[in-house]
Amino acid sequence: MWAVLAAWRWADWNLFRNFHATILYMSSMNLLYLLLTSDYRLWIEQSNLGLPHTLIALLYTFIVFPCTVMLFLSNYPDKLGSQILHIGKWIIIYIGTEWVGHLYGFVYYTHGWSLVWSLLFLIVMFPMLRLHHKRPILAYLISLIIIAFLLDWFDVPWKSL
């Protein structure tokens, strides 16, 4: 809910067309994660409302992540120092939210994934969103390398692929 309210308040929706492709990139990468790890999830979000984790994942894919892209890119600064702070702010927001979720049992990890891995992932993810906005083909190529590394590192079984 906070993502929708924050995006409504602080995102520049006049720029939606400029960021639409990056919204699709982020959502499609999450859908790819859900597909490739369907029988071998590395992290799972739970709901205190009794919603199935698949529905929670889809809510993130189609609501939270588009709001994130709109907020992140529509407020992206011009100067390098400000850009680093902006990325850092988003990493702190995401890792802080996940840490609280993990503490209260709304997020749990399996197969070697941890909060540290989530932090490392976020350190890569936010710059990748900006890269995709500026150079989408390069972002997709780097994403393929990252995906292959993660699948291998966490021994995602090929039978689940």
Side-chain angles (χ1 to χ4, degrees):
M1 189 60 130
W2 73 266
V4 173
L5 294 174
W8 175 74
R9 170 70 175 93
W10 289 295
D12 185 349
W13 288 94
N14 293 322
L15 299 174
F16 177 80
R17 287 182 186 262
N18 295 350
F19 305 140
H20 184 253
T22 304
I23 289 170
L24 294 177
Y25 164 75
M26 188 172 190
S27 294
S28 66
M29 291 297 105
N30 194 58
L31 289 172
L32 186 60
Y33 161 73
L34 294 171
L35 174 71
L36 294 176
T37 64
S38 62
D39 296 327
Y40 196 83
R41 294 274 188 266
L42 300 175
W43 64 87
I44 298 173
E45 301 94 355
Q46 295 290 343
S47 165
N48 62 346
L49 302 174
L51 300 174
H53 65 85
T54 303
L55 179 58
I56 300 300
L58 292 175
L59 289 172
Y60 270 89
T61 301
F62 296 113
I63 295 175
V64 174
F65 294 157
C67 289
T68 296
V69 171
M70 287 301 300
L71 283 162
F72 179 72
L73 291 178
S74 68
N75 294 292
Y76 200 82
D78 293 328
K79 297 186 181 198
L80 180 61
S82 297
Q83 291 171 355
I84 292 168
L85 289 174
H86 184 71
I87 291 168
K89 175 182 80 172
W90 278 96
I91 291 168
I92 289 168
I93 289 169
Y94 257 64
I95 202 67
T97 303
E98 184 171 325
W99 177 66
V100 170
H102 181 65
L103 283 177
Y104 287 95
F106 300 131
V107 177
Y108 67 93
Y109 309 113
T110 61
H111 307 295
W113 193 265
S114 67
L115 191 65
V116 171
W117 274 104
S118 288
L119 177 61
L120 294 172
F121 184 81
L122 294 171
I123 290 169
V124 173
M125 183 188 84
F126 282 104
M128 288 296 293
L129 292 176
R130 176 66 176 174
L131 179 63
H132 181 272
H133 176 62
K134 292 298 187 182
R135 300 194 52 203
I137 293 173
L138 180 58
Y140 278 110
L141 291 173
I142 293 170
S143 294
L144 288 175
I145 294 166
I146 293 167
I147 290 165
F149 167 77
L150 292 172
L151 291 174
D152 182 61
W153 186 269
F154 288 98
D155 295 320
V156 176
W158 290 105
K159 68 178 179 108
S160 68
L161 302 178

